[in-house]
Amino acid sequence: MDGVTATGIRADARIVARADGRGGTVLPVLDGDGPLALRRTRSDGSEAKVMLVGAMSGPLGGDRFSLTASVAEGARLHIGSAAATLALPGQAKGEARYDVRLDVADGAELHWLPEQLISARGSDLYVTTRAELAAGARLVLREEQVLGRAGEDPGRLTSRLTVRVAGRAVLDQELSCGPGAPGGWDGPAVLAGHRAVGQLVVVRPEFMEHPVQAQALGECAALIPLAGPAALVSAVAADALRLRRLLDEALTMLR
């Protein structure tokens, strides 16, 4: 943990994955502590697996968290989390921030599949996820937000997701929900009364030659081709379980 100040906790984590030259992946850098503890788990084949373990509550008001993952050429990395992230109000005033930066080289693959982010009543969190991919990189990225715990009004949650391939933006979107968010976030054009919202981004070089076809996935999800070798699934649901089911079904279809 890098420090505790009057405005909250600052914590950083860093992961570097490289090919080992024998068909596997090594992790020369696996550095995180406090709220962002990192644990390597059993690997499958050439893929290295890392689990993000929340060692303490947070992010709370005023906290600043950041996580960076870099996947070098030929490496394969899977990052998950042991439990949902719970944004809570804290003694320190002000907005909390959680910034994620993902870098994937040519011929490398990253699966970023954390558990849900839950916005508890009274919290205020701004989360950014930025993925920078080389032209021949592969990515599976899942992002899920739940507005409030059971029977609870949500806090303020703003989420920005940016994906760039070969230096060109294929996705740059921001959603703000909860008290103080711009009007209409809970209206029919956005969440329509649902309390769970998620995105699934899949980047594969073969999508340049064979792009996915836009289609509705039931009443609460849609598959959208993006400019470049990428596809986006957006979904809303009544709760986290139904949202996960929608996104899992979409990922199975894209595979």
Side-chain angles (χ1 to χ4, degrees):
M1 184 164 54
D2 289 334
V4 180
T5 71
T7 57
I9 293 173
R10 178 176 178 83
D12 302 302
R14 184 169 174 243
I15 306 168
V16 175
R18 293 178 183 161
D20 65 4
R22 303 186 301 275
T25 299
V26 295
L27 301 173
V29 178
L30 189 63
D31 183 17
D33 56 10
L36 300 177
L38 301 172
R39 302 288 184 267
R40 179 162 189 170
T41 60
R42 182 169 303 199
S43 302
D44 290 332
S46 61
E47 181 182 68
K49 290 188 175 182
V50 174
M51 190 69 67
L52 179 61
V53 180
M56 56 191 296
S57 297
L60 309 178
D63 289 352
R64 298 289 185 271
F65 294 175
S66 70
L67 184 147
T68 301
S70 299
V71 189
E73 183 177 356
R76 299 180 64 228
L77 177 63
H78 181 290
I79 305 175
S81 59
T85 297
L86 181 60
L88 294 164
Q91 293 182 351
K93 301 297 182 182
E95 176 186 78
R97 287 191 64 100
Y98 192 167
D99 299 312
V100 176
R101 168 69 183 255
L102 310 171
D103 293 291
V104 192
D106 268 316
E109 182 171 353
L110 172 63
H111 288 208
W112 171 251
L113 300 171
E115 294 300 310
Q116 299 89 357
L117 170 60
I118 302 172
S119 174
R121 181 178 180 178
S123 64
D124 185 359
L125 176 63
Y126 190 99
V127 56
T128 65
T129 303
R130 181 179 178 183
E132 293 278 352
L133 282 72
R138 296 173 179 270
L139 174 71
V140 177
L141 181 154
R142 184 183 66 216
E143 180 181 84
E144 300 168 308
Q145 287 107 29
V146 180
L147 305 182
R149 292 167 290 192
E152 178 185 64
D153 291 334
R156 172 72 180 269
L157 175 62
T158 301
S159 173
R160 183 172 181 180
L161 173 60
T162 306
V163 180
R164 292 167 57 90
V165 179
R168 299 180 58 187
V170 300
L171 178 66
D172 190 344
Q173 68 176 26
E174 183 173 285
L175 177 64
S176 187
C177 304
W185 66 269
D186 203 23
V190 188
L191 296 187
H194 295 90
R195 283 295 176 266
V197 57
Q199 286 74 233
L200 175 70
V201 179
V202 179
V203 179
R204 291 181 177 169
E206 54 265 34
F207 285 168
M208 288 294 292
E209 296 292 332
H210 305 285
V212 302
Q213 299 298 310
Q215 59 182 293
L217 304 176
E219 297 182 358
C220 297
L223 171 61
I224 306 163
L226 301 175
L232 168 70
V233 176
S234 290
V236 295
D239 54 46
L241 182 62
R242 296 178 191 180
L243 177 65
R244 177 64 59 84
R245 187 179 299 123
L246 285 170
L247 296 180
D248 282 351
E249 290 172 354
L251 182 56
T252 298
M253 181 185 68
L254 287 170
R255 284 172 173 164

